[in-house]
Amino acid sequence: MFGRQSKADQAALKQAQAVVDSLVKTQAVIWFDIDGQILEANDNFLNVMGYQSDEIVGKHHRLFVGGAYAASPEYTEFWEKLKRGEFHHGTFERVAKDGESIWIEATYNPLFDDEGRPYKVMKFAVDVTENTAKMTEAESKLTAISNSQAVIEFELDGTIITANENFLNAMGYSLLEVRGKHHSIFVEESYAASNEYKVFWADLGKGRFQANEFMRIDKSGKEVWIQASYNPILSPSGVPVKIVKYATDITQAKLNAADSAGQLDAISRSQAVIEFDLTGTILSANDNFLNTLGYTLDEIKGQHHRMFVDPQEARSEEYQQFWNSLAKGEFKSNEFKRFGKAGNEVWIQASYNPIFDPQGKPYKVVKFATETTQRKSAISLLTAGLANLADGNLAERLPTDIHEDFVTLSGSFNSAMVKLEELVQDILDTSVAIAEDTQSIASNASDLATRNEHQAAALEETSAAVEEISATIKSTENNAESATNAAQTASQNAQSGGDIVQDAIEAMQRIELSASNIESIVEVIDEISFQTNLLALNAGVEAARAGEAGSGFAVVASEVRVLAQKTADSARQINELIGNSNEEVTHGSQLVDKSGTALSDIAAGVDTVVTSIADILMATREQSLGINEVTQSVADIDRTVQTTAALAEESSAAATMLADRSKHLKSMVSYFSLSKTTEHKKPELVASNPTPERTPVAPQPAVQQQAIAVGQSHSQQDEFDDDWTDF
């Protein structure tokens, strides 16, 4: 092949081979077949990846990549491109034998056969792991800065290249609104036109760093304060190529600082301010403090705080503890007595405020104070006035030239004292009048209590009498009820007797009928006796005729005749007895008839008696109910009278106590000393409801009077009167 090439081609080929050899010596080189199987690798590559040649030859390239990437479509497409003969260059992450990530700058170069088809891949690589780590760290730092700060990039002349979201949000712009514009859109027009602004950018163009607090203007025209650094970015040759600005919005902090400074300035103008170190040595003081105590700053600076306090207090343990507490960071606030340069007492309302460094340790003490000397004097005068008031001296008055804050209070105090003096005078006069009137009330109440006691006693007697009457009527009611029951029993017995008599009459009638029947029977017996006698007589005649043969029969006939005669005689006797019995039965029947009539009359009379007794029982019950109502009313009146008597006694006791208290009130009011002596006048007491004259009324029974006294209605009084009349 070389024989058919020209010398120029051979020279070029040798030069290319020399370049390849040089690359193989200086770079990591590895060969793959077109499918990615490893064919060979030089020592540089093996050293970078930590393998021996026999550990990788015949293996696939995926040995050097992570499992997830090896299975991804991107990895498949990567080798498909190489199979198509496409060159590939970039920075790649690969995995070494020990599992560590290796970053390489590599080119994958397809090699072609004589027919122009790729048949293997030669890879040249340089280990850039260290540089990549540094770049990653730098990018991470820049990202962190960008996330936390406002970042904007400029050309050297101040033209805006780009800005992050923090900057855009702080200034109220979008990136399209600022890109290509000059930095001057963020500053006031007067400053943008100033020579100072031009020098600022000129210095940045020369690579000079700038850092400070800057006031800028946002899109709405509002002031925005930033803590910023303008950082020139240099090329490898040290030439500035652009400006990157890192900024933090400190607008609120600036406003807070300005507010705090303003407040401190306002406090310094209105209050006395002095500063000490932690031991109490004076560092500084404002004019208010110096004027209050009469010193100049040179006279007190470097001196100790004890120069303002009483020497005895300065030597005390409490004073030393006071400064020890402040040195520990403990706040102190109170009203303090201090001494001015001339030895005069100065009262101040002050707070001692430990000031802390950034580590939270106190390093000095600032005292804010307001003089309260005149206020203290006014309070002392007011306290003295109140003490005099407590001692009963109402003549005390506060001076009119008191501190202006207490002028109104002084006037109110003096007015109150005048009013109180007048009130005490009126109370004193009124207590005298009350005492006199109370004595009269107590006397009347006592008399009323006595009368109520007598009335209650009389009412108790009346109540006892009414209760006895009620008991008597109750007994009468019980007797009437017993009589009614007895009369009803008698009526029932009379009715039963009438029924028995009627039965007796009916029995007599049946006896008369039986007697009539017996008479008929006796007549038949008599007839039979007569016939028997005739037959006996005939039998005797026949026996006589018979002679001897009939002698026995004659005896029988004689006996039969005798028996017939006796029967006839007995029949006549029975007939006589029956006649007599009929007469007696007739007479008895008449008597029984008369008894039935008498019993009927008795039953009618008993019914009349029962009706009368029942009427008496009903009337007695009604009377008993009326008496019970009267008794109840009397009991209610008795309780009312007892209550009235008790109230009268209480009123008497209360009136007596009121009189005593009036005397005590007079004694208490006499405790106060008045500024002037006034004549005690008994106040005219006008009743709100004057009592009209009453027309004398005729005396009524005690029970009726008490019933009216407790407020019974007219109808109740009428019922009571009716019951009383019945009684």
Side-chain angles (χ1 to χ4, degrees):
M1 180 180 294
F2 285 111
R4 293 193 299 267
Q5 292 178 335
S6 66
K7 291 182 179 181
D9 292 336
Q10 292 177 1
L13 183 59
K14 288 180 180 181
Q15 186 176 3
Q17 187 63 44
V19 171
V20 170
D21 293 341
S22 175
L23 290 174
V24 170
K25 290 178 181 179
T26 59
Q27 293 190 3
V29 182
I30 187 171
W31 290 266
F32 306 91
D33 67 14
I34 201 63
D35 294 320
Q37 300 294 328
I38 300 171
L39 301 175
E40 184 183 357
N42 70 353
D43 291 338
N44 291 337
F45 185 89
L46 295 172
N47 292 334
V48 169
M49 303 304 293
Y51 286 101
Q52 298 294 324
S53 178
D54 57 356
E55 291 177 322
I56 63 173
V57 173
K59 303 290 181 68
H60 193 273
H61 172 268
R62 67 176 61 92
L63 175 67
F64 307 127
V65 300
Y69 178 62
S72 67
E74 290 81 4
Y75 185 69
T76 302
E77 179 61 22
F78 174 82
W79 281 100
E80 289 297 327
K81 289 182 177 180
L82 291 174
K83 287 180 181 180
R84 292 195 296 267
E86 297 179 12
F87 170 83
H88 205 81
H89 174 267
T91 300
F92 304 95
E93 181 184 10
R94 295 296 180 249
V95 180
K97 181 180 179 180
D98 59 4
E100 294 291 330
S101 292
I102 302 295
W103 289 90
I104 57 174
E105 185 77 28
T107 58
Y108 289 80
N109 307 276
L111 301 180
F112 301 89
D113 59 15
D114 294 338
E115 295 178 357
R117 292 176 300 184
Y119 69 98
K120 67 179 179 180
V121 175
M122 185 177 185
K123 170 184 171 182
F124 297 97
V126 177
D127 184 1
V128 294
T129 303
E130 184 177 356
N131 291 336
T132 302
K134 292 180 179 179
M135 290 180 61
T136 302
E137 181 181 359
E139 289 176 356
S140 298
K141 291 179 179 179
L142 290 174
T143 301
I145 293 172
S146 181
N147 290 336
S148 62
Q149 292 192 332
V151 182
I152 186 171
E153 297 182 10
F154 304 93
E155 300 287 358
L156 294 179
D157 62 356
T159 301
I160 300 169
I161 300 172
T162 187
N164 70 354
E165 289 296 325
N166 290 337
F167 184 90
L168 297 171
N169 293 335
M171 303 305 293
Y173 287 98
S174 68
L175 183 58
L176 292 177
E177 290 176 319
V178 300
R179 181 179 287 166
K181 302 290 182 64
H182 193 269
H183 172 270
S184 57
I185 66 173
F186 304 130
V187 300
E188 294 177 329
E189 292 182 1
S190 58
Y191 178 63
S194 68
N195 187 60
E196 179 184 356
Y197 186 66
K198 294 176 182 178
V199 171
F200 175 82
W201 279 103
D203 288 342
L204 289 173
K206 296 175 182 178
R208 295 173 184 170
F209 170 84
Q210 299 281 350
N212 208 335
E213 293 180 0
F214 301 95
M215 191 272 285
R216 297 294 182 246
I217 307 297
D218 68 4
K219 182 179 179 180
S220 65
K222 185 177 65 175
E223 291 183 358
V224 177
W225 283 89
I226 57 174
Q227 180 73 47
S229 64
Y230 290 79
N231 306 274
I233 305 301
L234 306 178
S235 69
S237 59
V239 177
V241 294
K242 65 179 180 180
I243 308 296
V244 177
K245 169 184 171 182
Y246 299 101
T248 301
D249 186 352
I250 60 170
T251 304
Q252 189 61 47
K254 195 75 173 176
L255 293 175
N256 291 341
D259 181 65
S260 299
Q263 292 184 35
L264 291 173
D265 184 58
I267 292 172
S268 181
R269 288 196 300 270
S270 61
Q271 291 191 339
V273 182
I274 185 171
E275 296 183 10
F276 307 90
D277 65 14
L278 295 181
T279 65
T281 300
I282 300 168
L283 302 176
S284 179
N286 70 351
D287 291 338
N288 289 336
F289 184 89
L290 297 171
N291 294 334
T292 299
L293 294 178
Y295 288 98
T296 65
L297 182 59
D298 292 337
E299 291 174 324
I300 65 173
K301 191 172 183 178
Q303 302 294 325
H304 196 273
H305 171 269
R306 67 175 62 91
M307 66 183 295
F308 304 129
V309 302
D310 184 87
Q312 184 176 356
E313 179 185 354
R315 291 190 296 270
S316 68
E317 181 66 25
E318 290 78 6
Y319 183 75
Q320 184 61 42
Q321 184 60 38
F322 175 82
W323 280 102
N324 290 340
S325 298
L326 290 173
K328 295 176 183 177
E330 297 177 10
F331 169 83
K332 299 290 183 181
S333 177
N334 208 334
E335 189 172 40
F336 301 95
K337 181 174 73 171
R338 298 293 181 249
F339 291 92
K341 181 179 180 179
N344 56 306
E345 283 189 6
V346 178
W347 284 89
I348 55 173
Q349 183 69 44
S351 63
Y352 290 78
N353 307 274
I355 306 300
F356 300 88
D357 63 16
Q359 285 74 37
K361 296 180 180 180
Y363 69 95
K364 69 176 180 178
V365 176
V366 177
K367 169 184 169 183
F368 299 100
T370 301
E371 184 182 3
T372 60
T373 304
Q374 293 182 356
R375 186 186 303 272
K376 189 75 173 179
S377 175
I379 292 175
S380 297
L381 291 173
L382 180 60
T383 302
L386 293 174
N388 289 327
L389 175 60
D391 291 337
N393 183 5
L394 300 182
E396 183 68 21
R397 299 292 183 269
L398 294 181
T400 57
D401 58 347
I402 200 168
H403 186 269
E404 60 181 6
D405 291 343
F406 293 87
V407 170
T408 303
L409 180 59
S410 174
S412 299
F413 178 84
N414 292 338
S415 298
M417 293 294 282
V418 171
K419 294 292 184 184
L420 183 59
E421 187 177 16
E422 294 174 354
L423 176 62
V424 170
Q425 183 67 65
D426 290 342
I427 292 174
L428 185 61
D429 295 340
T430 305
S431 64
V432 174
I434 290 175
E436 296 175 357
D437 293 341
T438 304
Q439 293 293 342
S440 177
I441 293 172
S443 177
N444 293 336
S446 178
D447 183 59
L448 177 61
T450 302
R451 293 183 181 183
N452 278 333
E453 289 177 359
H454 292 310
Q455 192 172 20
L459 188 59
E460 287 180 358
E461 294 177 359
T462 302
S463 177
V466 171
E467 288 179 356
E468 291 179 0
I469 294 170
S470 176
T472 302
I473 292 175
K474 185 65 177 179
S475 177
T476 303
E477 179 185 355
N478 294 334
N479 294 334
E481 188 172 1
S482 299
T484 299
N485 294 334
Q488 289 176 349
T489 302
S491 176
Q492 292 173 357
N493 293 336
Q495 186 67 36
S496 299
D499 294 340
I500 294 171
V501 169
Q502 185 64 35
D503 292 340
I505 293 173
E506 292 176 357
M508 289 294 184
Q509 290 175 352
R510 287 192 297 273
I511 292 171
E512 288 180 355
L513 181 60
S514 298
S516 298
N517 292 333
I518 293 171
E519 287 179 355
S520 299
I521 294 170
V522 169
E523 287 178 358
V524 172
I525 294 171
D526 187 44
E527 184 65 28
I528 292 171
S529 176
F530 178 74
Q531 292 296 329
T532 301
N533 192 23
L534 287 179
L535 288 174
L537 182 59
N538 289 330
V541 172
E542 290 298 327
R545 287 177 180 171
E548 286 291 334
S551 59
F553 186 74
V555 174
V556 172
S558 177
E559 289 296 330
V560 168
R561 188 173 57 250
V562 173
L563 180 60
Q565 186 61 42
K566 288 182 179 180
T567 300
D569 292 339
S570 295
R572 281 192 299 273
Q573 290 177 359
I574 290 171
N575 195 24
E576 289 177 359
L577 290 173
I578 289 173
N580 292 333
S581 177
N582 283 337
E583 290 178 0
E584 292 298 329
V585 167
T586 300
H587 182 66
S589 178
Q590 291 175 353
L591 291 176
V592 169
D593 286 339
K594 290 180 180 180
S595 297
T597 302
L599 286 173
S600 297
D601 293 340
I602 290 171
V606 169
D607 289 340
T608 302
V609 171
V610 169
T611 302
S612 299
I613 292 175
D615 292 340
I616 292 171
L617 177 61
M618 184 176 295
T620 302
R621 286 178 176 173
E622 291 178 355
Q623 191 174 21
S624 178
L625 292 175
I627 290 298
N628 286 336
E629 292 178 359
V630 171
T631 303
Q632 183 64 37
S633 299
V634 170
D636 292 342
I637 295 169
D638 184 37
R639 284 193 295 271
T640 303
V641 170
Q642 295 289 349
T643 303
T644 304
L647 293 175
E649 290 178 358
E650 292 178 2
S651 298
S652 177
T656 302
M657 185 179 295
L658 180 60
D660 293 340
R661 291 183 177 177
S662 296
K663 293 177 181 178
H664 182 60
L665 175 62
K666 179 181 178 183
S667 175
M668 290 177 61
V669 173
S670 299
Y671 169 79
F672 292 100
S673 301
L674 305 180
S675 61
K676 57 184 178 180
T677 303
T678 57
E679 181 182 357
H680 289 194
K681 296 181 180 180
K682 181 177 180 180
E684 295 181 0
L685 302 178
V686 181
S688 59
N689 294 307
T691 304
E693 292 185 359
R694 296 184 178 181
T695 304
V697 295
Q700 298 178 344
V703 176
Q704 290 178 319
Q705 289 181 352
Q706 292 302 322
I708 295 172
V710 297
Q712 288 185 340
S713 64
H714 181 70
S715 61
Q716 291 174 326
Q717 183 64 37
D718 290 342
E719 292 175 2
F720 181 79
D721 292 341
D722 292 341
D723 293 339
W724 185 271
T725 303
D726 292 341
F727 168 69

